Amino acid sequence: MKILLSWIGLDKDFSSAEVNTNGPNYQMHVSSVYSYDKHIVLYNQEQYFNRARIFQQRIEHEFSGRKLELKELAMNDERDLNEVQTKVSIFLKDLENDEVTILLSTGTSIFKIAWYVFAVSLQQDIRLVQYRQKQKDFNEIKLQKIGRASCRERV
């Protein structure tokens, strides 16, 4: 299954209480690159659930047939790399048989680091994309896997 994974970004995906149609999550659905079976929208705390739900309802209303799943990844400190890596690792194991694309344009800097580390080190099929506001497009970040085998090959 092709899955898009992103965080709900209150500062980027909303203008006041309304969905920001220029935000990265919304723009992904408008974009011609959208070809996913499901979009999993992550949120960290209960206070973000209401916004994530508003986003989900808007997308499902405007883009018939789109499947959005809201998923809480509760954390004590979203800026603690060890905690983030542990939670993300557990979550990604459930998606190990899926083709996962992660939208890097939302979430904390620590999350971006964690996503990158997983994308280059796991055997799982993970792609990273980012939204470029000025160009109003998405670009894929090209990665080179850094598993043990590739390190040995260089020696």
Side-chain angles (χ1 to χ4, degrees):
M1 181 179 284
K2 290 181 69 173
I3 294 178
L4 174 64
L5 185 59
S6 68
W7 286 94
I8 194 70
L10 299 187
D11 59 333
K12 294 180 180 177
D13 291 320
F14 285 86
S15 274
S16 277
E18 299 293 319
V19 172
N20 178 6
T21 57
N22 291 314
N25 273 308
Y26 186 90
Q27 283 297 310
M28 178 57 90
H29 286 272
V30 172
S31 170
S32 63
V33 301
Y34 191 91
S35 62
Y36 303 96
D37 300 310
K38 180 170 44 172
H39 181 179
I40 300 175
V41 178
L42 302 171
Y43 63 97
N44 178 22
Q45 301 168 4
E46 187 62 33
Q47 69 188 31
Y48 298 119
F49 172 77
N50 292 333
R51 292 292 176 98
R53 183 74 180 124
I54 290 168
F55 178 78
Q56 179 185 36
Q57 290 171 337
R58 173 93 183 248
I59 294 299
E60 288 177 346
H61 174 75
E62 290 186 22
F63 302 94
S64 179
R66 298 274 166 98
K67 294 180 183 172
L68 269 81
E69 178 183 324
L70 305 181
K71 174 76 174 162
E72 180 179 17
L73 279 186
M75 290 184 210
N76 295 318
D77 184 359
E78 61 192 28
R79 287 172 173 71
D80 177 351
L81 183 58
N82 291 326
E83 182 179 9
V84 168
Q85 283 184 306
T86 300
K87 299 285 173 103
V88 166
S89 175
I90 292 167
F91 175 72
L92 285 176
K93 282 185 183 186
D94 290 338
L95 304 175
E96 66 186 354
N97 295 319
D98 297 306
E99 181 182 322
V100 177
T101 297
I102 298 170
L103 179 58
L104 290 177
S105 302
T106 58
T108 66
S109 298
I110 294 299
F111 275 106
K112 291 173 178 70
I113 292 169
W115 292 136
Y116 179 80
V117 168
F118 285 115
V120 298
S121 62
L122 293 178
Q123 297 305 312
Q124 191 169 345
D125 187 8
I126 296 177
R127 293 175 53 226
L128 302 176
V129 296
Q130 64 183 350
Y131 179 61
R132 299 186 302 179
Q133 182 75 35
K134 288 182 182 176
Q135 293 89 343
K136 294 202 180 294
D137 70 359
F138 292 85
N139 73 313
E140 181 176 354
I141 298 169
K142 301 294 182 192
L143 302 171
Q144 179 177 354
K145 297 287 184 181
I146 56 171
R148 292 178 190 237
S150 65
C151 291
R152 281 191 214 128
E153 290 169 7
R154 290 189 203 144
V155 176

